[in-house]
Amino acid sequence: MFGVGPIELLIMAILVAVFVGLILRFLVRSVKSEFQNTVNQNNSSAEEVLDQRYASGEIMREEYLTIRDDIKREQNA
């Protein structure tokens, strides 16, 4: 009386395929976004990285100034 016919199976298969496709699309976008962030971070200049480290409190002012002077000397060499 309430058997599952071929049309119902086809509809269920389509719904599952759409659901899996949406999940895969989300995962690919997420991985792509994370990869892009990593690439952007790796392309930061030495001065930008130094500024970020100083701003976050990772290094003190004296060390910041010494490294900044070293970077400028290397760029001018």
Side-chain angles (χ1 to χ4, degrees), residues 12-66:
M12 287 173 51
I14 290 171
L15 289 175
V16 168
V18 167
F19 183 70
V20 169
L22 289 173
I23 290 174
L24 288 175
R25 183 176 179 189
F26 171 77
L27 289 174
V28 167
R29 283 185 175 184
S30 177
V31 169
K32 184 177 178 182
S33 175
E34 186 64 32
F35 176 75
Q36 199 67 342
N37 288 339
T38 302
V39 168
N40 289 340
Q41 287 175 354
N42 289 340
N43 287 337
S44 296
S45 72
E47 289 182 42
E48 290 171 337
V49 172
L50 180 63
D51 290 344
Q52 290 171 358
R53 289 182 64 199
Y54 181 60
S56 70
E58 188 177 333
I59 59 175
M60 301 303 294
R61 183 175 189 273
E62 295 78 21
E63 188 176 6
Y64 169 80
L65 293 173
T66 302

